[in-house]
Amino acid sequence: MYEGFLPINKEDMLERGWTQPDFVYVSGDAYVDHSSFGPAIISRVLEAHGYKVAMLPQPDWNNPESVTEFGEPRLGFLVSSGNMDSMVNHYTVAKKHRKTDAYTPGGVMGKRPDRATTVYCNLIRKTYKHTPIIIGGIEASLRRLSHYDYWSDSIRRSVLLDSGADLISYGMGEHSIVEIADALNSGLAVKDITWIPGTVYKTRSEDDIYDAVRLPDFLEIKESKKKYAESFAIQYRNTDPISAKRVYECYDGAMFVVQNPPSLPLTEMEMDDVYALPFMRAWHPIYDKDGGIPAFGEIKESITQARGCFGECNFCAITMHQGRIVQARSHESVLKEAKDITSDPEFKGYIFDIGGPTAEFRGPACGKQLSKGACVNKKCLWPEPCKNLKVDHSDYVKMLREVRSLPGVKKVFVRSGFRFDYLMADPNKEFLREICKYHVSGQMRVAPEHVSDNVLKEMGKPGVSVYNSFVKEFEKINKELGLNQYIVPYLMSSHPGSRLKDAITLAEYIRDMGYIPEQVQDFYPTPGTVSTAMYYTGLNPLTMEEVYVPKNPHEKAMQRALIQYRKPENYELVKEALLKEHREDLIGFGPECLIRPRKPQEDASGGRRPEKKHEVTGRKGQGRSDVRHDSHRSGNLNSERADTRKTSRGGNKKKIIR
């Protein structure tokens, strides 16, 4: 038996003196017992409430016997695809297979199936016909009702129906999973567990559904994109644990899938209790021979201080998963974890992050959120900060100071990213000064995502003038500190609302910055976001206004290429885009030009280039997307974008802020 870890096989279970587990947790990830991994949190929470949980990571989905390792659990199976949606894990935005899986030993791809939650549940049902199955994690959470599926380009049913599971524990599941366990333990049949916040259940009796809003039927939203947009808008406006109503939808006139309101946010004490659970803070030793779990990397020396986000970007699923009410840990809890990190013999003095979905958010956006909920039809930061927004960085600054003063800590980085619009709304710029002086090493990552106000509007991001003001403040402070540091902007191509002219505006802005991003992120239409609803319907579901959506692969390739217009292989695509938009003024030898004219049959380096290669070279720009993900956005069940982008500064050109 591996001391401290939960059992991963029957031998481990028997050595603990168990004859039967209460729950078997089936996960698409390898077993990492750390608070940044959803299965670890849920299993440790259940353990703390007296339940016996066995872990079954990455079973062989081609072999029904693989889910019988522990026999039938006393109360049920828990199933999750893991920290990432299995389809995002497997495919780029171009729908090409990825080569590695960071949540698998040695980064090997292929250890989990596509649509892992559904496949695992179907596998369990082949052997255990009546054992309760509860699904959770990001994949189940964002597919809890009917949804647009980018990979099949179709509307799919709730994952509850396709998987054959009994319940979904959606969002951050600490509250709901304990209530489910207690209900099952009391002898209740799983079909009768219909009242728990943060769950989704199915029923054939509409009469039993009370105080609820009926969504358009499944057949309606399959046939009408407008109905789909209307349905999504109702779902989106019912994501707050205080104000949300129960919502449900009908399938084939007989089956109803019912979503209860979200679980209440954790209190500070509850957050502290979760992160004080006896995690081993390591991958299971059986993976040592394979080189461990790549995703664990810097997560091992990073700290999640909060979850939830009131930033509410349209392309982000956090609102539908973690919610808009920020929940934070106490300073004592964060310091305790920091001390645990510094006591590790392998610790080199660097804490790579103290953050969350947004690094510096430390509590609810305003005083009324915990009593009345987040505003249904108003955002906290967009189009401009709400007058009731509490803008205060002092508590986060204090926390950073406390951690960096610990013995053995050489530097504390902030890599979660922070909201520059929230920062600019704070008249006290001490936070930015502290970040520049102590928590940045040459480059600061921020996410304007675009610079065209047409696109930023559809993203739910502030206008470019706010970003420009931030850049000026950043440069001013660095000059005062005598530091030579740069901003690394995260940029996105082909988001709904982005036309070629907007992509050209972005290219001009990049030209004036003086350096080119080495990687570009295409918009990825994943379930649970406003932007994905726009992508599918051509409508903004929150306003029902029409939105232009770039879907043609060649146009998307041109938009990508414009962000990296200096790359020789992008020349033909950039030229085509400029000519199409009648921007010949950007082709030439002047300082404002993006590309130079070429002589016939001449490549970018001045050599001869065969004509047949024109089209091939042009289409290379379609490439793969860059999916950024980090542990803090994941919380216990979510995942977002991986911080893998790099930039290179172009020559000695001075940065110009437009």
Side-chain angles (χ1 to χ4, degrees), residues 226-471:
K226 182 179 179 181
K227 284 292 183 182
Y228 179 88
E230 291 173 353
S231 178
F232 181 87
I234 296 170
Q235 295 174 46
Y236 191 83
R237 292 178 178 127
N238 284 277
T239 56
D240 184 84
I242 311 298
S243 64
K245 287 188 173 293
R246 187 172 289 103
V247 298
Y248 69 103
E249 59 188 5
C250 180
Y251 293 82
D252 302 325
M255 177 64 76
F256 300 92
V257 173
V258 186
Q259 174 186 295
N260 287 315
S263 296
L264 289 173
L266 298 186
T267 64
E268 181 181 86
M269 181 179 292
E270 288 174 324
M271 283 280 283
D272 288 355
D273 288 345
V274 167
Y275 286 89
L277 292 169
F279 300 104
M280 296 300 292
R281 299 186 56 83
W283 59 64
H284 196 283
I286 60 168
Y287 306 131
D288 288 345
K289 66 182 185 304
D290 300 311
I293 312 303
F296 192 45
E298 293 183 0
I299 290 175
K300 180 181 179 182
E301 291 162 350
S302 298
I303 299 172
T304 301
Q305 63 88 7
R307 64 171 60 157
C309 182
F310 52 78
E312 211 175 348
C313 299
N314 285 341
F315 50 79
C316 180
I318 289 175
T319 295
M320 294 286 279
H321 188 65
Q322 295 189 11
R324 290 171 60 188
I325 298 177
V326 174
Q327 306 136 71
R329 296 164 63 183
S330 69
H331 287 230
E332 292 76 17
S333 174
V334 170
L335 282 169
K336 170 64 169 60
E337 184 170 356
K339 290 174 183 176
D340 290 342
I341 291 173
T342 63
S343 66
D344 188 327
E346 297 181 358
F347 181 62
K348 300 294 191 298
Y350 300 98
I351 292 179
F352 292 105
D353 197 14
I354 301 178
T358 297
E360 80 269 36
F361 287 178
R362 286 287 297 156
C366 68
K368 76 177 188 67
Q369 280 196 344
L370 290 179
S371 60
K372 297 183 180 179
C375 296
V376 175
N377 293 308
K378 186 177 181 181
K379 295 189 177 187
C380 301
L381 280 166
W382 187 87
E384 57 187 21
C386 174
K387 64 180 182 180
N388 296 317
L389 179 66
K390 291 182 179 178
V391 182
D392 185 2
H393 292 84
S394 60
D395 189 59
Y396 185 62
V397 169
K398 181 181 177 184
M399 177 181 290
L400 292 176
R401 288 172 177 171
E402 290 169 344
V403 175
R404 73 172 185 252
S405 68
L406 291 176
V409 174
K410 297 177 182 177
K411 195 173 187 70
V412 177
F413 295 97
V414 178
R415 293 185 174 176
S416 294
F418 57 87
R419 290 289 299 225
F420 58 83
D421 50 348
Y422 183 73
L423 186 150
M424 294 307 294
D426 189 346
N428 184 351
K429 298 300 185 287
E430 185 62 25
F431 170 64
L432 183 55
R433 181 174 293 274
E434 289 264 327
I435 290 290
C436 292
K437 188 173 181 179
Y438 297 108
H439 304 286
V440 176
S441 287
Q443 296 180 343
M444 172 181 281
R445 305 176 186 183
V446 292
E449 305 293 357
H450 214 282
V451 299
S452 167
D453 285 343
N454 297 325
V455 184
L456 293 169
K457 172 188 171 185
E458 305 303 344
M459 290 180 163
K461 299 285 287 186
V464 68
S465 62
V466 181
Y467 177 65
N468 286 341
S469 297
F470 164 73
V471 172

Side-chain angles (χ1 to χ4, degrees), residues 440-576:
V440 176
S441 287
Q443 296 180 343
M444 172 181 281
R445 305 176 186 183
V446 292
E449 305 293 357
H450 214 282
V451 299
S452 167
D453 285 343
N454 297 325
V455 184
L456 293 169
K457 172 188 171 185
E458 305 303 344
M459 290 180 163
K461 299 285 287 186
V464 68
S465 62
V466 181
Y467 177 65
N468 286 341
S469 297
F470 164 73
V471 172
K472 291 178 181 177
E473 189 68 30
F474 174 84
E475 292 181 336
K476 172 189 170 186
I477 288 175
N478 277 280
K479 184 177 181 180
E480 291 171 355
L481 294 172
L483 298 172
N484 186 26
Q485 301 192 123
Y486 298 84
I487 287 176
V488 179
Y490 289 147
L491 300 171
M492 185 185 297
S493 67
S494 304
H495 186 277
S498 178
R499 298 177 182 270
L500 270 182
K501 65 178 182 179
D502 300 301
I504 292 171
T505 297
L506 179 56
E508 291 183 276
Y509 193 95
I510 292 169
R511 171 200 65 203
D512 295 339
M513 288 194 308
Y515 56 87
I516 301 293
E518 289 186 359
Q519 294 183 355
V520 178
Q521 179 181 345
D522 278 354
F523 167 65
Y524 203 153
T526 56
T529 75
V530 174
S531 297
T532 297
M534 291 184 200
Y535 176 87
Y536 171 63
T537 65
L539 299 169
N540 183 325
L542 304 183
T543 64
M544 297 306 291
E545 295 175 349
E546 291 188 2
V547 179
Y548 174 77
V549 180
K551 287 189 177 181
N552 180 281
H554 191 62
E555 180 187 349
K556 292 175 69 176
M558 285 192 285
Q559 292 205 24
R560 279 175 56 90
L562 281 161
I563 296 178
Q564 298 173 307
Y565 65 87
R566 288 184 187 170
K567 286 193 171 185
E569 62 266 30
N570 288 339
Y571 182 90
E572 294 297 337
L573 284 169
V574 173
K575 180 181 178 182
E576 180 182 350

